[in-house]
Amino acid sequence: MDVLLETAQAETEAPALPRIGDPAPPFEAKTTQGMLKLSDLAGKWVVLFSHPADFTPVCTTEFVAFARRAEEFARRNVQLVGLSIDSVYSHLAWLRNIEERFGVKVPFPIIADLDMTVARRYGMIHPKEGTTSTVRALFIIDDRQVVRAILYYPMSTGRNIDEVLRIIDSLQTVDREKVATPADWHPGEPVILPPPQTQADLQARLERVEQAGYECKDWYLCLRKA
Ligand code: BEZ
């Protein structure tokens, strides 16, 4: 089939996928900790992440890494939720194996998405990678249940937990202080002031630079202490 036609057909058939700023698609799902409704987590931030399969090497290292840092997520009011297209029995056996082999208890729920309802709703299945398994998708959902960040990693690359925490720190700082954060930012480092939107704002900023202690590279790029 013509590539353009195939792409157009795929686009018309593909479900609408959540994008940044969209309400997080609701779900009610079976997990290793009982039934879980996304709406029950309102008021908390949620990191919903899928993995391709239980008992696979890269996924195992990710679960050990997430579990070891679960406290750091909890301190940020974040609920971790895993997901794969495996049964709850498989998840339970795998978690037991992780505890035996690594001495780590996984304290967060894992969705057993056997009918792929949640995976499809969140666009976690990328057919060219596999039609019955999820890729490494990760959604950061805020305390008002809005999608704030989306990450996709290939099957062969384990995720970077530091980066997930860093994005959450950035988003929570942005919400609290109405600023933005620069490349490679970490908490405690200078933050970016929103660029002025009018000539009057621009002029006011230039007049305030010294007194306010801003560090301005130019009128549109000003940093202040955290
Ligand atoms: C893994 O977790 O090791 C893995 C899973 C699916 C495909 C490739 C690697």
PDB file of all heavy atoms in Angstrom, residues 77-108:
ATOM      1  N   ASN A  77       4.666  13.761  47.092  1.00  0.00           N
ATOM      2  CA  ASN A  77       3.224  13.509  46.956  1.00  0.00           C
ATOM      3  C   ASN A  77       2.903  12.807  45.634  1.00  0.00           C
ATOM      4  O   ASN A  77       1.914  13.118  44.967  1.00  0.00           O
ATOM      5  CB  ASN A  77       2.429  14.823  47.083  1.00  0.00           C
ATOM      6  CG  ASN A  77       0.924  14.602  47.137  1.00  0.00           C
ATOM      7  OD1 ASN A  77       0.469  13.575  47.642  1.00  0.00           O
ATOM      8  ND2 ASN A  77       0.160  15.554  46.608  1.00  0.00           N
ATOM      9  N   VAL A  78       3.786  11.870  45.255  1.00  0.00           N
ATOM     10  CA  VAL A  78       3.608  11.154  43.988  1.00  0.00           C
ATOM     11  C   VAL A  78       3.287   9.682  44.259  1.00  0.00           C
ATOM     12  O   VAL A  78       3.990   9.025  45.024  1.00  0.00           O
ATOM     13  CB  VAL A  78       4.890  11.220  43.126  1.00  0.00           C
ATOM     14  CG1 VAL A  78       4.708  10.400  41.849  1.00  0.00           C
ATOM     15  CG2 VAL A  78       5.259  12.653  42.797  1.00  0.00           C
ATOM     16  N   GLN A  79       2.234   9.197  43.609  1.00  0.00           N
ATOM     17  CA  GLN A  79       1.903   7.768  43.649  1.00  0.00           C
ATOM     18  C   GLN A  79       2.452   7.111  42.380  1.00  0.00           C
ATOM     19  O   GLN A  79       2.099   7.514  41.266  1.00  0.00           O
ATOM     20  CB  GLN A  79       0.380   7.588  43.709  1.00  0.00           C
ATOM     21  CG  GLN A  79      -0.086   6.152  43.605  1.00  0.00           C
ATOM     22  CD  GLN A  79       0.325   5.311  44.817  1.00  0.00           C
ATOM     23  OE1 GLN A  79      -0.012   5.650  45.943  1.00  0.00           O
ATOM     24  NE2 GLN A  79       1.064   4.235  44.573  1.00  0.00           N
ATOM     25  N   LEU A  80       3.308   6.128  42.537  1.00  0.00           N
ATOM     26  CA  LEU A  80       3.787   5.349  41.388  1.00  0.00           C
ATOM     27  C   LEU A  80       2.755   4.277  41.060  1.00  0.00           C
ATOM     28  O   LEU A  80       2.201   3.647  41.976  1.00  0.00           O
ATOM     29  CB  LEU A  80       5.111   4.667  41.729  1.00  0.00           C
ATOM     30  CG  LEU A  80       6.340   5.562  41.888  1.00  0.00           C
ATOM     31  CD1 LEU A  80       7.465   4.797  42.582  1.00  0.00           C
ATOM     32  CD2 LEU A  80       6.790   6.053  40.514  1.00  0.00           C
ATOM     33  N   VAL A  81       2.513   4.058  39.761  1.00  0.00           N
ATOM     34  CA  VAL A  81       1.621   2.977  39.325  1.00  0.00           C
ATOM     35  C   VAL A  81       2.258   2.321  38.094  1.00  0.00           C
ATOM     36  O   VAL A  81       2.476   2.980  37.084  1.00  0.00           O
ATOM     37  CB  VAL A  81       0.214   3.498  38.950  1.00  0.00           C
ATOM     38  CG1 VAL A  81      -0.694   2.341  38.512  1.00  0.00           C
ATOM     39  CG2 VAL A  81      -0.439   4.274  40.101  1.00  0.00           C
ATOM     40  N   GLY A  82       2.597   1.037  38.204  1.00  0.00           N
ATOM     41  CA  GLY A  82       3.151   0.304  37.060  1.00  0.00           C
ATOM     42  C   GLY A  82       2.036  -0.325  36.237  1.00  0.00           C
ATOM     43  O   GLY A  82       0.876  -0.368  36.669  1.00  0.00           O
ATOM     44  N   LEU A  83       2.381  -0.809  35.048  1.00  0.00           N
ATOM     45  CA  LEU A  83       1.378  -1.468  34.184  1.00  0.00           C
ATOM     46  C   LEU A  83       2.081  -2.347  33.172  1.00  0.00           C
ATOM     47  O   LEU A  83       3.096  -1.960  32.592  1.00  0.00           O
ATOM     48  CB  LEU A  83       0.558  -0.412  33.434  1.00  0.00           C
ATOM     49  CG  LEU A  83      -0.487  -0.914  32.425  1.00  0.00           C
ATOM     50  CD1 LEU A  83      -1.643   0.070  32.317  1.00  0.00           C
ATOM     51  CD2 LEU A  83       0.083  -1.204  31.032  1.00  0.00           C
ATOM     52  N   SER A  84       1.544  -3.548  32.978  1.00  0.00           N
ATOM     53  CA  SER A  84       1.903  -4.327  31.780  1.00  0.00           C
ATOM     54  C   SER A  84       0.743  -5.226  31.423  1.00  0.00           C
ATOM     55  O   SER A  84      -0.218  -5.376  32.190  1.00  0.00           O
ATOM     56  CB  SER A  84       3.185  -5.140  31.972  1.00  0.00           C
ATOM     57  OG  SER A  84       2.941  -6.255  32.790  1.00  0.00           O
ATOM     58  N   ILE A  85       0.857  -5.830  30.226  1.00  0.00           N
ATOM     59  CA  ILE A  85      -0.205  -6.723  29.754  1.00  0.00           C
ATOM     60  C   ILE A  85       0.137  -8.127  30.256  1.00  0.00           C
ATOM     61  O   ILE A  85       0.507  -9.006  29.487  1.00  0.00           O
ATOM     62  CB  ILE A  85      -0.329  -6.615  28.218  1.00  0.00           C
ATOM     63  CG1 ILE A  85      -0.611  -5.153  27.832  1.00  0.00           C
ATOM     64  CG2 ILE A  85      -1.444  -7.523  27.699  1.00  0.00           C
ATOM     65  CD1 ILE A  85      -0.478  -4.859  26.359  1.00  0.00           C
ATOM     66  N   ASP A  86       0.114  -8.285  31.545  1.00  0.00           N
ATOM     67  CA  ASP A  86       0.374  -9.570  32.193  1.00  0.00           C
ATOM     68  C   ASP A  86      -0.705  -9.753  33.248  1.00  0.00           C
ATOM     69  O   ASP A  86      -1.349  -8.787  33.664  1.00  0.00           O
ATOM     70  CB  ASP A  86       1.749  -9.549  32.892  1.00  0.00           C
ATOM     71  CG  ASP A  86       2.904  -9.607  31.905  1.00  0.00           C
ATOM     72  OD1 ASP A  86       3.037 -10.629  31.207  1.00  0.00           O
ATOM     73  OD2 ASP A  86       3.678  -8.625  31.830  1.00  0.00           O
ATOM     74  N   SER A  87      -0.838 -11.001  33.710  1.00  0.00           N
ATOM     75  CA  SER A  87      -1.868 -11.270  34.728  1.00  0.00           C
ATOM     76  C   SER A  87      -1.389 -10.811  36.100  1.00  0.00           C
ATOM     77  O   SER A  87      -0.188 -10.612  36.327  1.00  0.00           O
ATOM     78  CB  SER A  87      -2.175 -12.767  34.783  1.00  0.00           C
ATOM     79  OG  SER A  87      -1.074 -13.433  35.354  1.00  0.00           O
ATOM     80  N   VAL A  88      -2.329 -10.686  37.000  1.00  0.00           N
ATOM     81  CA  VAL A  88      -1.956 -10.303  38.355  1.00  0.00           C
ATOM     82  C   VAL A  88      -1.118 -11.405  39.005  1.00  0.00           C
ATOM     83  O   VAL A  88      -0.215 -11.123  39.803  1.00  0.00           O
ATOM     84  CB  VAL A  88      -3.223  -9.919  39.164  1.00  0.00           C
ATOM     85  CG1 VAL A  88      -3.894 -11.130  39.775  1.00  0.00           C
ATOM     86  CG2 VAL A  88      -2.913  -8.890  40.218  1.00  0.00           C
ATOM     87  N   TYR A  89      -1.335 -12.663  38.606  1.00  0.00           N
ATOM     88  CA  TYR A  89      -0.537 -13.773  39.158  1.00  0.00           C
ATOM     89  C   TYR A  89       0.919 -13.648  38.711  1.00  0.00           C
ATOM     90  O   TYR A  89       1.843 -13.888  39.483  1.00  0.00           O
ATOM     91  CB  TYR A  89      -1.111 -15.120  38.716  1.00  0.00           C
ATOM     92  CG  TYR A  89      -2.570 -15.267  39.092  1.00  0.00           C
ATOM     93  CD1 TYR A  89      -3.545 -15.304  38.110  1.00  0.00           C
ATOM     94  CD2 TYR A  89      -2.956 -15.312  40.421  1.00  0.00           C
ATOM     95  CE1 TYR A  89      -4.886 -15.401  38.456  1.00  0.00           C
ATOM     96  CE2 TYR A  89      -4.299 -15.407  40.772  1.00  0.00           C
ATOM     97  CZ  TYR A  89      -5.253 -15.449  39.786  1.00  0.00           C
ATOM     98  OH  TYR A  89      -6.571 -15.529  40.128  1.00  0.00           O
ATOM     99  N   SER A  90       1.102 -13.288  37.457  1.00  0.00           N
ATOM    100  CA  SER A  90       2.465 -13.084  36.954  1.00  0.00           C
ATOM    101  C   SER A  90       3.140 -11.936  37.716  1.00  0.00           C
ATOM    102  O   SER A  90       4.284 -12.045  38.156  1.00  0.00           O
ATOM    103  CB  SER A  90       2.405 -12.786  35.457  1.00  0.00           C
ATOM    104  OG  SER A  90       3.646 -12.301  35.013  1.00  0.00           O
ATOM    105  N   HIS A  91       2.397 -10.833  37.883  1.00  0.00           N
ATOM    106  CA  HIS A  91       2.962  -9.688  38.630  1.00  0.00           C
ATOM    107  C   HIS A  91       3.357 -10.120  40.041  1.00  0.00           C
ATOM    108  O   HIS A  91       4.448  -9.792  40.524  1.00  0.00           O
ATOM    109  CB  HIS A  91       1.924  -8.568  38.772  1.00  0.00           C
ATOM    110  CG  HIS A  91       1.655  -7.765  37.525  1.00  0.00           C
ATOM    111  ND1 HIS A  91       2.499  -7.721  36.448  1.00  0.00           N
ATOM    112  CD2 HIS A  91       0.621  -6.932  37.224  1.00  0.00           C
ATOM    113  CE1 HIS A  91       1.985  -6.912  35.531  1.00  0.00           C
ATOM    114  NE2 HIS A  91       0.848  -6.422  35.983  1.00  0.00           N
ATOM    115  N   LEU A  92       2.453 -10.869  40.692  1.00  0.00           N
ATOM    116  CA  LEU A  92       2.712 -11.254  42.092  1.00  0.00           C
ATOM    117  C   LEU A  92       3.957 -12.147  42.171  1.00  0.00           C
ATOM    118  O   LEU A  92       4.812 -11.971  43.055  1.00  0.00           O
ATOM    119  CB  LEU A  92       1.495 -11.968  42.687  1.00  0.00           C
ATOM    120  CG  LEU A  92       0.251 -11.082  42.901  1.00  0.00           C
ATOM    121  CD1 LEU A  92      -0.936 -11.924  43.352  1.00  0.00           C
ATOM    122  CD2 LEU A  92       0.515  -9.962  43.899  1.00  0.00           C
ATOM    123  N   ALA A  93       4.075 -13.086  41.238  1.00  0.00           N
ATOM    124  CA  ALA A  93       5.237 -13.998  41.244  1.00  0.00           C
ATOM    125  C   ALA A  93       6.519 -13.206  40.980  1.00  0.00           C
ATOM    126  O   ALA A  93       7.562 -13.443  41.606  1.00  0.00           O
ATOM    127  CB  ALA A  93       5.040 -15.077  40.184  1.00  0.00           C
ATOM    128  N   TRP A  94       6.443 -12.234  40.090  1.00  0.00           N
ATOM    129  CA  TRP A  94       7.626 -11.436  39.743  1.00  0.00           C
ATOM    130  C   TRP A  94       8.053 -10.563  40.941  1.00  0.00           C
ATOM    131  O   TRP A  94       9.241 -10.487  41.272  1.00  0.00           O
ATOM    132  CB  TRP A  94       7.289 -10.581  38.523  1.00  0.00           C
ATOM    133  CG  TRP A  94       8.426  -9.801  37.938  1.00  0.00           C
ATOM    134  CD1 TRP A  94       9.714 -10.207  37.781  1.00  0.00           C
ATOM    135  CD2 TRP A  94       8.344  -8.482  37.388  1.00  0.00           C
ATOM    136  NE1 TRP A  94      10.454  -9.214  37.174  1.00  0.00           N
ATOM    137  CE2 TRP A  94       9.628  -8.146  36.919  1.00  0.00           C
ATOM    138  CE3 TRP A  94       7.314  -7.562  37.250  1.00  0.00           C
ATOM    139  CZ2 TRP A  94       9.908  -6.923  36.327  1.00  0.00           C
ATOM    140  CZ3 TRP A  94       7.581  -6.349  36.640  1.00  0.00           C
ATOM    141  CH2 TRP A  94       8.868  -6.037  36.189  1.00  0.00           C
ATOM    142  N   LEU A  95       7.069  -9.963  41.589  1.00  0.00           N
ATOM    143  CA  LEU A  95       7.399  -9.113  42.746  1.00  0.00           C
ATOM    144  C   LEU A  95       8.052  -9.943  43.859  1.00  0.00           C
ATOM    145  O   LEU A  95       8.977  -9.486  44.540  1.00  0.00           O
ATOM    146  CB  LEU A  95       6.153  -8.403  43.279  1.00  0.00           C
ATOM    147  CG  LEU A  95       5.513  -7.387  42.324  1.00  0.00           C
ATOM    148  CD1 LEU A  95       4.429  -6.598  43.035  1.00  0.00           C
ATOM    149  CD2 LEU A  95       6.552  -6.445  41.719  1.00  0.00           C
ATOM    150  N   ARG A  96       7.568 -11.184  44.019  1.00  0.00           N
ATOM    151  CA  ARG A  96       8.148 -12.081  45.017  1.00  0.00           C
ATOM    152  C   ARG A  96       9.590 -12.418  44.638  1.00  0.00           C
ATOM    153  O   ARG A  96      10.486 -12.427  45.476  1.00  0.00           O
ATOM    154  CB  ARG A  96       7.308 -13.359  45.028  1.00  0.00           C
ATOM    155  CG  ARG A  96       7.213 -14.035  46.341  1.00  0.00           C
ATOM    156  CD  ARG A  96       6.180 -15.134  46.200  1.00  0.00           C
ATOM    157  NE  ARG A  96       6.743 -16.391  46.669  1.00  0.00           N
ATOM    158  CZ  ARG A  96       6.738 -16.764  47.940  1.00  0.00           C
ATOM    159  NH1 ARG A  96       6.179 -16.000  48.845  1.00  0.00           N
ATOM    160  NH2 ARG A  96       7.259 -17.899  48.302  1.00  0.00           N
ATOM    161  N   ASN A  97       9.790 -12.656  43.347  1.00  0.00           N
ATOM    162  CA  ASN A  97      11.134 -12.969  42.850  1.00  0.00           C
ATOM    163  C   ASN A  97      12.079 -11.773  43.052  1.00  0.00           C
ATOM    164  O   ASN A  97      13.221 -11.929  43.483  1.00  0.00           O
ATOM    165  CB  ASN A  97      11.036 -13.347  41.363  1.00  0.00           C
ATOM    166  CG  ASN A  97      12.388 -13.703  40.779  1.00  0.00           C
ATOM    167  OD1 ASN A  97      13.039 -12.863  40.173  1.00  0.00           O
ATOM    168  ND2 ASN A  97      12.811 -14.932  40.978  1.00  0.00           N
ATOM    169  N   ILE A  98      11.571 -10.562  42.788  1.00  0.00           N
ATOM    170  CA  ILE A  98      12.401  -9.353  42.975  1.00  0.00           C
ATOM    171  C   ILE A  98      12.788  -9.225  44.446  1.00  0.00           C
ATOM    172  O   ILE A  98      13.940  -8.910  44.788  1.00  0.00           O
ATOM    173  CB  ILE A  98      11.634  -8.093  42.472  1.00  0.00           C
ATOM    174  CG1 ILE A  98      11.578  -8.101  40.939  1.00  0.00           C
ATOM    175  CG2 ILE A  98      12.280  -6.809  42.984  1.00  0.00           C
ATOM    176  CD1 ILE A  98      10.753  -6.973  40.334  1.00  0.00           C
ATOM    177  N   GLU A  99      11.829  -9.531  45.327  1.00  0.00           N
ATOM    178  CA  GLU A  99      12.124  -9.428  46.765  1.00  0.00           C
ATOM    179  C   GLU A  99      13.194 -10.457  47.161  1.00  0.00           C
ATOM    180  O   GLU A  99      14.144 -10.141  47.889  1.00  0.00           O
ATOM    181  CB  GLU A  99      10.836  -9.637  47.568  1.00  0.00           C
ATOM    182  CG  GLU A  99      11.000  -9.199  48.995  1.00  0.00           C
ATOM    183  CD  GLU A  99       9.696  -9.228  49.780  1.00  0.00           C
ATOM    184  OE1 GLU A  99       8.605  -9.199  49.164  1.00  0.00           O
ATOM    185  OE2 GLU A  99       9.789  -9.289  51.004  1.00  0.00           O
ATOM    186  N   GLU A 100      13.059 -11.673  46.625  1.00  0.00           N
ATOM    187  CA  GLU A 100      14.032 -12.731  46.965  1.00  0.00           C
ATOM    188  C   GLU A 100      15.421 -12.417  46.402  1.00  0.00           C
ATOM    189  O   GLU A 100      16.430 -12.592  47.081  1.00  0.00           O
ATOM    190  CB  GLU A 100      13.563 -14.079  46.386  1.00  0.00           C
ATOM    191  CG  GLU A 100      12.438 -14.710  47.189  1.00  0.00           C
ATOM    192  CD  GLU A 100      11.749 -15.857  46.431  1.00  0.00           C
ATOM    193  OE1 GLU A 100      12.206 -16.232  45.311  1.00  0.00           O
ATOM    194  OE2 GLU A 100      10.747 -16.336  46.961  1.00  0.00           O
ATOM    195  N   ARG A 101      15.465 -11.959  45.158  1.00  0.00           N
ATOM    196  CA  ARG A 101      16.770 -11.776  44.479  1.00  0.00           C
ATOM    197  C   ARG A 101      17.457 -10.467  44.847  1.00  0.00           C
ATOM    198  O   ARG A 101      18.670 -10.379  44.816  1.00  0.00           O
ATOM    199  CB  ARG A 101      16.592 -11.817  42.956  1.00  0.00           C
ATOM    200  CG  ARG A 101      16.059 -13.088  42.429  1.00  0.00           C
ATOM    201  CD  ARG A 101      17.109 -14.181  42.493  1.00  0.00           C
ATOM    202  NE  ARG A 101      16.488 -15.475  42.353  1.00  0.00           N
ATOM    203  CZ  ARG A 101      17.018 -16.612  42.770  1.00  0.00           C
ATOM    204  NH1 ARG A 101      18.198 -16.613  43.370  1.00  0.00           N
ATOM    205  NH2 ARG A 101      16.396 -17.743  42.606  1.00  0.00           N
ATOM    206  N   PHE A 102      16.635  -9.426  45.113  1.00  0.00           N
ATOM    207  CA  PHE A 102      17.240  -8.102  45.323  1.00  0.00           C
ATOM    208  C   PHE A 102      16.998  -7.549  46.723  1.00  0.00           C
ATOM    209  O   PHE A 102      17.502  -6.479  47.060  1.00  0.00           O
ATOM    210  CB  PHE A 102      16.678  -7.091  44.294  1.00  0.00           C
ATOM    211  CG  PHE A 102      17.031  -7.426  42.870  1.00  0.00           C
ATOM    212  CD1 PHE A 102      16.220  -8.267  42.120  1.00  0.00           C
ATOM    213  CD2 PHE A 102      18.180  -6.917  42.275  1.00  0.00           C
ATOM    214  CE1 PHE A 102      16.540  -8.597  40.815  1.00  0.00           C
ATOM    215  CE2 PHE A 102      18.509  -7.233  40.971  1.00  0.00           C
ATOM    216  CZ  PHE A 102      17.683  -8.083  40.229  1.00  0.00           C
ATOM    217  N   GLY A 103      16.198  -8.241  47.500  1.00  0.00           N
ATOM    218  CA  GLY A 103      15.887  -7.758  48.845  1.00  0.00           C
ATOM    219  C   GLY A 103      15.081  -6.469  48.815  1.00  0.00           C
ATOM    220  O   GLY A 103      15.165  -5.646  49.732  1.00  0.00           O
ATOM    221  N   VAL A 104      14.299  -6.280  47.756  1.00  0.00           N
ATOM    222  CA  VAL A 104      13.537  -5.032  47.599  1.00  0.00           C
ATOM    223  C   VAL A 104      12.046  -5.353  47.493  1.00  0.00           C
ATOM    224  O   VAL A 104      11.647  -6.174  46.659  1.00  0.00           O
ATOM    225  CB  VAL A 104      13.991  -4.304  46.303  1.00  0.00           C
ATOM    226  CG1 VAL A 104      13.070  -3.152  45.978  1.00  0.00           C
ATOM    227  CG2 VAL A 104      15.414  -3.817  46.433  1.00  0.00           C
ATOM    228  N   LYS A 105      11.256  -4.706  48.341  1.00  0.00           N
ATOM    229  CA  LYS A 105       9.787  -4.842  48.244  1.00  0.00           C
ATOM    230  C   LYS A 105       9.278  -3.752  47.317  1.00  0.00           C
ATOM    231  O   LYS A 105       9.653  -2.587  47.504  1.00  0.00           O
ATOM    232  CB  LYS A 105       9.172  -4.594  49.630  1.00  0.00           C
ATOM    233  CG  LYS A 105       8.776  -5.836  50.376  1.00  0.00           C
ATOM    234  CD  LYS A 105       7.944  -5.408  51.595  1.00  0.00           C
ATOM    235  CE  LYS A 105       7.922  -6.429  52.695  1.00  0.00           C
ATOM    236  NZ  LYS A 105       7.435  -7.743  52.359  1.00  0.00           N
ATOM    237  N   VAL A 106       8.444  -4.104  46.365  1.00  0.00           N
ATOM    238  CA  VAL A 106       7.855  -3.072  45.482  1.00  0.00           C
ATOM    239  C   VAL A 106       6.588  -2.556  46.185  1.00  0.00           C
ATOM    240  O   VAL A 106       5.611  -3.295  46.325  1.00  0.00           O
ATOM    241  CB  VAL A 106       7.535  -3.664  44.091  1.00  0.00           C
ATOM    242  CG1 VAL A 106       6.766  -2.661  43.238  1.00  0.00           C
ATOM    243  CG2 VAL A 106       8.827  -4.098  43.395  1.00  0.00           C
ATOM    244  N   PRO A 107       6.609  -1.295  46.627  1.00  0.00           N
ATOM    245  CA  PRO A 107       5.510  -0.828  47.469  1.00  0.00           C
ATOM    246  C   PRO A 107       4.340  -0.206  46.713  1.00  0.00           C
ATOM    247  O   PRO A 107       3.395   0.259  47.329  1.00  0.00           O
ATOM    248  CB  PRO A 107       6.200   0.236  48.335  1.00  0.00           C
ATOM    249  CG  PRO A 107       7.265   0.795  47.455  1.00  0.00           C
ATOM    250  CD  PRO A 107       7.681  -0.295  46.510  1.00  0.00           C
ATOM    251  N   PHE A 108       4.422  -0.164  45.397  1.00  0.00           N
ATOM    252  CA  PHE A 108       3.366   0.516  44.629  1.00  0.00           C
ATOM    253  C   PHE A 108       2.594  -0.516  43.794  1.00  0.00           C
ATOM    254  O   PHE A 108       3.105  -1.603  43.507  1.00  0.00           O
ATOM    255  CB  PHE A 108       3.959   1.625  43.741  1.00  0.00           C
ATOM    256  CG  PHE A 108       5.124   1.177  42.902  1.00  0.00           C
ATOM    257  CD1 PHE A 108       4.924   0.567  41.674  1.00  0.00           C
ATOM    258  CD2 PHE A 108       6.427   1.346  43.346  1.00  0.00           C
ATOM    259  CE1 PHE A 108       6.001   0.143  40.906  1.00  0.00           C
ATOM    260  CE2 PHE A 108       7.518   0.922  42.587  1.00  0.00           C
ATOM    261  CZ  PHE A 108       7.294   0.323  41.364  1.00  0.00           C
TER     262      PHE A 108
END
